[in-house]
Amino acid sequence: MLRSLFAGVSGLRNSQVRMDVIGNNIANVNTVAFKAGRVTFKEGFAQLLQGASRPPGDQGGINPIQIGLGMQVGSIDQIFNQGNIETTGLNTDVAIQGDSFFVVRKGNQSFYTRAGNFQVDAIGQLVSPANGFIVQGRMYENGMQLDGIQDIKLPFGQRVSARPTTEATLAGNLNASATIFQGNFNDPLVRSDPINEKAWTETQIGVFDSQGTKHDVKLQMWKTGPNTWNWRIDPKASAQTFEVETNGSSPPGNIQLPVAPTGYEILPANVRVYSPTGVEYNSPADFSFSAGPPPALQFTSSMPSNAVIRVGYFMSPTTATPSENSGTFNFDQAGILNTDVIAALNFAVPGANAVRIDLKLGGGVNGLTQFASTASTAVLRDQNGYTAGTLQDFSIDRLGLITGFFTNGTTNPLARIVLADFNNPSGLLRIGDNMYQESANSGSGVLGFALEGAQSQLTSGALEMSNVDLAQEFANMIVAQRGFQANGKVVSTSDELLQELINLKR
């Protein structure tokens, strides 16, 4: 009778354990990346009343006679099924799709988590907001991955140095039906003649010197033969401009212009003179230009005294070797450029290294061509180089690579999140805060990267939800409740039997 009483008590006690696990699952239904628990039971000790006997020759054998003494908790398992992915839009939120874990560290001790709701702390470290443990990965420096797993620290405020322009692409089409240029191309009045309107074209692009200063480079091309176009870098690509307003009697006379900085020059074609109402005077009818230094403007008697002079400082081409700063494009009869053409731009910049740009012309119809069209469409594009910039933002891709976006429009890899895989993740030890620790039966974490060593991948701007199934938990709750009630009935019935036994004495 006491055996049934204690068996019922074990059922009550362990059914309560099951309810505790169910209650914890339901409580964490909205916990990021929570993994549900499951209780399994096992039979308790069985008392042997009579042993088994072997069959004698004239009859059968006898089985052992045993009475069970209740039940016990067999295991409380962690179910590591994938939770659903919820979009959050925060670039510091990262969800794992797969069986891996994030690695975080406190001091020299590593912990593991599925919860990717990370934050950036005051010094740029990527941390878990629950406890401040630092996310681990491989850092990058100047685009190169550094050795060793370490704390991920995003260098906000970091500057990327300027990179000079060394390459640019010239592509598009030069109009085959254009007329041949007539006259001296260096004369701006000749270039503006309607007869030459379609006989030449120009394109401009911004390039950077070694200090990150941007300069406008203009390439001019004019047709000199049926399949031939000359080209040159325009020395009048402006780097700096200023205005001078004349004051004095009419005519103003000789106006001295400031001496240009070293490496720049003032050219006649880049001196513009305007009336106060914005009407441009025509050189050389209204004024003449004298060379310097310093250069000067000599006004005619018809010029007013309050003219506005706009002057530009312009980059001076260096001493050019053949095919630098000027040359010839030769096309075959099919309009395809001679692939042996080599073109480069080379000019000096004050206070910085000389800039040399190799022009990539390409071959075939995707390069520079000469086909009949309404206008020439040849353009400079796809130049490299950039000015200095500061880290402004970052993103995380599915491989865990953290890419920084700088104010100069460039991108650089900053770090890569490392992941850990375990032979037996259910053997990990829960320590709270959505964290796990290695145990004797989990095995050591095998470190790798998403889709490289680890078969998991990451989703930025999203979080893994709890994998608790409420419908299943409520069903389990009903079963646990009924099991508890049934075991309670065993205890009460055993008590009634004991009470009846005591009453026999009366």
Side-chain angles (χ1 to χ4, degrees), residues 179-195:
T179 58
I180 296 175
F181 190 89
Q182 304 295 318
N184 182 8
F185 186 79
N186 294 323
D187 190 334
L189 294 178
V190 175
R191 291 201 299 271
S192 62
D193 192 319
I195 196 175

Side-chain angles (χ1 to χ4, degrees), residues 63 175 188 305:
N63 292 329
N175 184 10
S305 61

Side-chain angles (χ1 to χ4, degrees), residues 119-287:
Q119 293 179 355
V120 179
D121 67 9
I123 59 174
Q125 297 177 129
L126 194 63
V127 300
S128 169
N131 46 29
F133 293 178
I134 306 172
V135 181
Q136 300 298 294
R138 295 278 291 272
M139 295 298 297
Y140 283 75
E141 186 175 300
N142 297 324
M144 301 297 294
Q145 191 178 71
L146 302 179
D147 293 333
I149 306 298
Q150 57 184 295
D151 297 346
I152 291 181
K153 185 175 181 181
L154 305 179
F156 285 102
Q158 172 185 304
R159 293 185 63 84
V160 59
S161 60
R163 178 182 177 183
T165 301
T166 58
E167 290 183 352
T169 299
L170 177 62
N173 185 64
L174 294 174
N175 184 10
S177 61
T179 58
I180 296 175
F181 190 89
Q182 304 295 318
N184 182 8
F185 186 79
N186 294 323
D187 190 334
L189 294 178
V190 175
R191 291 201 299 271
S192 62
D193 192 319
I195 196 175
N196 290 321
E197 180 180 359
K198 295 184 178 181
W200 71 285
T201 185
E202 62 184 8
T203 177
Q204 183 171 294
I205 195 172
V207 299
F208 299 91
D209 62 27
S210 58
Q211 295 180 347
T213 302
K214 185 178 180 180
H215 304 276
D216 292 328
V217 171
K218 186 182 295 183
L219 191 73
Q220 297 173 326
M221 293 160 283
W222 64 101
K223 191 172 183 179
T224 57
N227 294 313
T228 303
W229 290 70
N230 282 357
W231 67 272
R232 73 171 187 179
I233 178 177
D234 185 3
K236 301 181 294 303
S238 177
Q240 181 180 356
T241 61
F242 67 91
E243 289 188 359
V244 178
E245 184 172 348
T246 63
N247 290 288
S249 60
S250 180
N254 194 22
I255 303 297
Q256 296 293 137
L257 300 177
V259 177
T262 303
Y264 290 117
E265 63 181 342
I266 298 178
L267 302 175
N270 280 316
V271 177
R272 297 288 186 264
V273 182
Y274 298 84
S275 72
T277 59
V279 177
E280 183 176 3
Y281 296 114
N282 295 319
S283 172
D286 299 316
F287 64 88

Side-chain angles (χ1 to χ4, degrees), residues 57-75:
D58 55 351
Q59 65 185 41
I62 301 175
N63 292 329
I65 299 176
Q66 293 178 285
I67 298 179
L69 299 180
M71 49 87 77
Q72 298 175 352
V73 173
S75 67

Side-chain angles (χ1 to χ4, degrees), residues 19 26 56 84-85 87 106 114 139 176 222 224 233 297 301 319 346 393 424 429 441 465 469 489 493 497 501:
M19 272 302 303
I26 295 175
N84 294 329
I85 302 299
T87 301
K106 177 184 178 183
R114 294 276 300 187
M139 295 298 297
W222 64 101
T224 57
I233 178 177
L297 289 181
S301 59
T319 302
N346 198 343
D393 201 0
N424 177 28
L429 184 65
N441 197 41
M465 301 170 65
D469 184 343
K489 191 65 175 177
T493 301
L497 292 175
L501 180 62

